[in-house]
Amino acid sequence: MAALEVDPTEVEALAQLARVMIEKSLQRSEGDGAAFWHAVSLIYQRGLPAPAPEPASEPLGIAA
């Protein structure tokens, strides 16, 4: 199992890189960075909403 361990500093470096890329993308699209990061924090606090249930499929009624 030791081969599956990830160095926390590597994870932090990847997270920082992702944050920089997201910030650049928000600037290009003129997005609100504060609102984006607030939404991300809410997702971490509350979790993602449950997906909507799939509607029950009805038989097509095609005779063989």
Side-chain angles (χ1 to χ4, degrees):
M1 279 296 200
L4 298 178
E5 292 181 16
V6 179
D7 181 11
T9 56
E10 185 177 341
V11 172
E12 181 63 26
L14 289 172
Q16 291 299 324
L17 178 62
R19 183 180 183 99
V20 168
M21 291 174 25
I22 290 168
E23 291 286 351
K24 286 180 181 178
S25 178
L26 285 168
Q27 288 174 353
R28 282 193 306 271
S29 65
E30 298 179 6
D32 184 352
F36 174 81
W37 292 115
H38 178 70
V40 169
S41 74
L42 290 177
I43 290 170
Y44 275 106
Q45 292 170 16
R46 301 178 184 166
L48 291 172
E54 296 274 333
S57 62
E58 297 180 15
L60 297 176
I62 300 173

